[in-house]
Amino acid sequence: MRRPRLRTLRARLTVGLLVLLAVGCAAVGGAAVLQLGGFLTDRLDQQLSGTGSAFAASLEHPRHDDHDGDEHGDTRRQAAETLGVRIVGGDVTNAAVVRGGDEAADLTTVDVSGTDARALAAVPRDGHGHSVELSGLGDYRVMAWQGRDGDTLITGLPLEPVEAAVHRLELVAVSVFGLTLTGAGVAGALWVRWSLRPLSRIADTATRVSELPLASGEVALPARAPDTRPRSAEVDQVTFAFNRMLGHVQNALTQRQRSEERLRSFSADASHELRTPVASVRGHAELALLHPGPVPPEVTHALERIAAESTRMGAIVDDLLLLARLDAGRPLEREPVDLTRLVLDAVTDARAAGPGHHWFLELPQEPVIVSGDVHRLHQLLANLTANARLHTPAGTAVTVGVEPADDGTVHLTVTDNGPGIPAALRGDLFERFVHGEGARTADGGGTGLGLSIVAAVAAAHGGTATVTSERGTTRFTVRLPYQGPG
């Protein structure tokens, strides 16, 4: 069986405190019980030593000249239950016990069994007390002396009063210590809870910070834990250090946010300003190509390259401007969009652009409707099909599918059986200006913005874009909130 684990620091400290207190109580109680038992036993030994062997000797040689006593000695001078034994040659010849007490004292002869006789005969004649267990009388503290006739004289007192006092102390100690542990447990739990309140506040603050969308530019951190100056208390030092850390984190996030905002503003402004001169360059190049007069072939080729590159640069500028607008959080249009129709159109365009590939469709029976911007979703599909076409060799099979999922989303997938994407490239595939030339085909190209636009458009619609790839199978999956069938 597994031992239950204490999961909270408060519980561990409380249990540890109770364990230490219980050990201390047990040590104190044990020492008190042992000390009381030893003290009372010493008192019995002193009483036996004061009585001496006279009582045991009187069992065989009564003092007739003692007018205050009887023929067996004055039993009124002996404590109740005093035992007298005379042993000759290892055999008990006389054994008697004083019954009653004071004026009613009476001497009663007792029979000693063989086991008890052997236990009494084994008591050394050293004048010191020894404990023996007698089957007919109970536990006794006895003391043995050498008699006048070479015999052994033993006097004993019962241990029952000592044992009763010790048991009573044990019961009192258990009761008192039990109540003490109970009270200490309650008080200790409250004290530990009060002492660890700053740590609880730190944990609550850390939890709230962990739930903030820090990656999306949120820099307003929650209120700090109750701030105190660093003193010797460890909890205060942790609180102070935690608050300082939050301050540094907020400053870093604020600086990062400002830097990203400046970068976005620059990207948007630069893209906007470049659109006019790029369009002008393309227009002049196309106008020069329409010149009716003779133009040298080299000039014609140069003008064609200028027109082509200006067209390509215009597409890059448009993509950068779109990303800047998405980064700025500008809202997209929201209207019902038939995703199956968009897929049909995108695959039709892809067949025309890439006739060397094999294009397949996997569509449900009913139209799939999502809420979003039809132009941006069409661009998302066009970028995914273009990515599959540009980065796989001719003859590759590309399957575009739409499938509603049970989690309230619709999965838009583009799967190909090309050579796959290197593992080192997959983690950064949706970052901007990430190229995969030479990774899947030698004639790949692109600006490195297509998949970043896919991820940004999906995020703007409340969805995600992911990729899985191995040799022979690469799948891009876009998850969008599902509105329902058409």
Side-chain angles (χ1 to χ4, degrees):
M1 296 179 62
R2 298 176 61 183
R3 294 181 297 175
R5 295 187 297 177
L6 301 175
R7 298 184 178 276
T8 63
L9 178 61
R10 184 168 58 225
R12 293 179 182 178
L13 291 177
T14 303
V15 171
L17 175 65
L18 289 178
V19 170
L20 292 177
L21 186 58
V23 172
C25 289
V28 171
V33 168
L34 292 177
Q35 186 67 23
L36 178 63
F39 173 75
L40 295 179
T41 302
D42 290 342
R43 291 292 300 272
L44 285 181
D45 290 345
Q46 293 175 8
Q47 190 173 351
L48 289 173
S49 179
T51 301
S53 62
F55 174 60
S58 69
L59 299 179
E60 184 66 21
H61 305 286
R63 295 185 301 169
H64 298 285
D65 58 345
D66 189 353
H67 301 291
D68 295 331
D70 52 26
E71 62 178 354
H72 297 293
D74 192 353
T75 59
R76 289 174 296 177
R77 300 185 203 172
Q78 309 300 324
E81 303 300 324
T82 300
L83 171 67
V85 178
R86 182 172 181 268
I87 300 175
V88 178
D91 296 327
V92 177
T93 59
N94 298 85
V97 174
V98 176
R99 303 294 186 185
D102 298 332
E103 298 297 332
D106 184 26
L107 192 65
T108 303
T109 303
V110 296
D111 295 329
V112 179
S113 65
T115 303
D116 294 342
R118 287 191 293 272
L120 291 170
V123 175
R125 295 179 295 185
D126 54 4
H128 296 290
H130 301 277
S131 298
V132 294
E133 182 179 355
L134 304 176
S135 58
L137 299 175
D139 294 336
Y140 262 77
R141 188 73 174 177
V142 298
M143 192 174 291
W145 292 271
Q146 176 73 40
R148 291 178 297 174
D149 302 329
D151 53 359
T152 300
L153 303 176
I154 295 178
T155 303
L157 289 172
L159 284 172
E160 190 275 334
V162 175
E163 294 173 348
V166 170
H167 291 329
R168 189 160 47 250
L169 177 61
E170 291 174 346
L171 181 60
V172 171
V174 170
S175 301
V176 172
F177 291 156
L179 293 176
T180 301
L181 288 176
T182 302
V186 175
L190 295 176
W191 174 259
V192 171
R193 183 184 184 89
W194 181 83
S195 301
L196 296 182
R197 282 190 305 172
L199 293 183
S200 299
R201 298 191 188 103
I202 292 176
D204 294 339
T205 304
T207 301
R208 291 196 299 271
V209 171
S210 66
E211 294 172 350
L212 293 175
L214 301 180
S216 63
E218 175 67 47
V219 295
L221 298 183
R224 306 293 191 269
D227 200 359
T228 56
R229 291 177 298 175
R231 302 191 297 269
S232 59
E234 291 80 0
V235 174
D236 292 336
Q237 293 177 356
V238 171
T239 303
F240 183 78
F242 180 76
N243 289 338
R244 288 189 61 190
M245 181 192 69
L246 285 185
H248 292 323
V249 170
Q250 184 167 11
N251 292 335
L253 291 175
T254 301
Q255 294 177 7
R256 186 202 68 178
Q257 182 70 7
R258 292 174 180 173
S259 177
E260 290 183 354
E261 288 177 353
R262 288 194 296 267
L263 182 60
R264 291 169 183 168
S265 178
F266 169 77
S267 178
D269 293 342
S271 301
H272 187 272
E273 294 298 328
L274 285 174
R275 296 181 75 181
T276 299
V278 168
S280 178
V281 170
R282 185 172 66 247
H284 284 290
E286 292 175 351
L287 181 61
L289 288 173
L290 297 176
H291 190 274
V295 179
E298 294 83 0
V299 175
T300 301
H301 178 71
L303 291 174
E304 290 175 348
R305 293 305 306 153
I306 291 174
E309 290 302 318
S310 60
T311 300
R312 181 172 177 270
M313 186 178 295
I316 295 175
V317 170
D318 291 339
D319 289 344
L320 287 174
L321 186 58
L322 173 61
L323 287 172
R325 289 173 177 172
L326 294 175
D327 288 342
R330 294 186 181 180
L332 301 176
E333 295 183 4
R334 290 291 178 176
E335 59 182 358
V337 178
D338 186 351
L339 199 57
T340 54
R341 172 55 58 183
L342 282 183
V343 170
L344 287 172
D345 294 341
V347 171
T348 300
D349 296 339
R351 283 197 180 103
H357 287 67
H358 304 290
W359 300 92
F360 301 95
L361 289 169
E362 290 183 353
L363 301 177
Q365 295 293 331
E366 299 292 334
V368 176
I369 306 300
V370 297
S371 177
D373 190 318
V374 62
H375 300 292
R376 299 283 78 86
L377 291 176
H378 183 274
Q379 186 175 9
L380 179 148
L381 279 166
N383 286 356
L384 288 176
T385 55
N387 180 77
R389 174 173 52 83
L390 293 174
H391 294 280
T392 57
T396 301
V398 182
T399 302
V400 182
V402 176
E403 180 183 5
D406 296 334
D407 58 357
T409 62
V410 57
H411 293 184
L412 173 64
T413 58
V414 178
T415 309
D416 67 70
N417 61 352
I421 303 173
L425 190 63
R426 295 172 200 162
D428 301 326
L429 202 60
F430 292 100
E431 300 295 329
R432 297 170 191 182
F433 300 107
V434 174
H435 294 268
E437 288 93 342
R440 302 173 73 191
T441 181
D443 59 352
T447 63
L449 295 175
L451 292 180
S452 61
I453 291 177
V454 169
V457 171
H461 283 82
T464 59
T466 58
V467 61
T468 57
S469 181
E470 59 185 15
R471 186 168 185 81
T473 302
T474 297
R475 172 172 293 184
F476 287 87
T477 303
V478 177
R479 295 173 176 84
L480 300 173
Y482 183 34
Q483 179 172 330

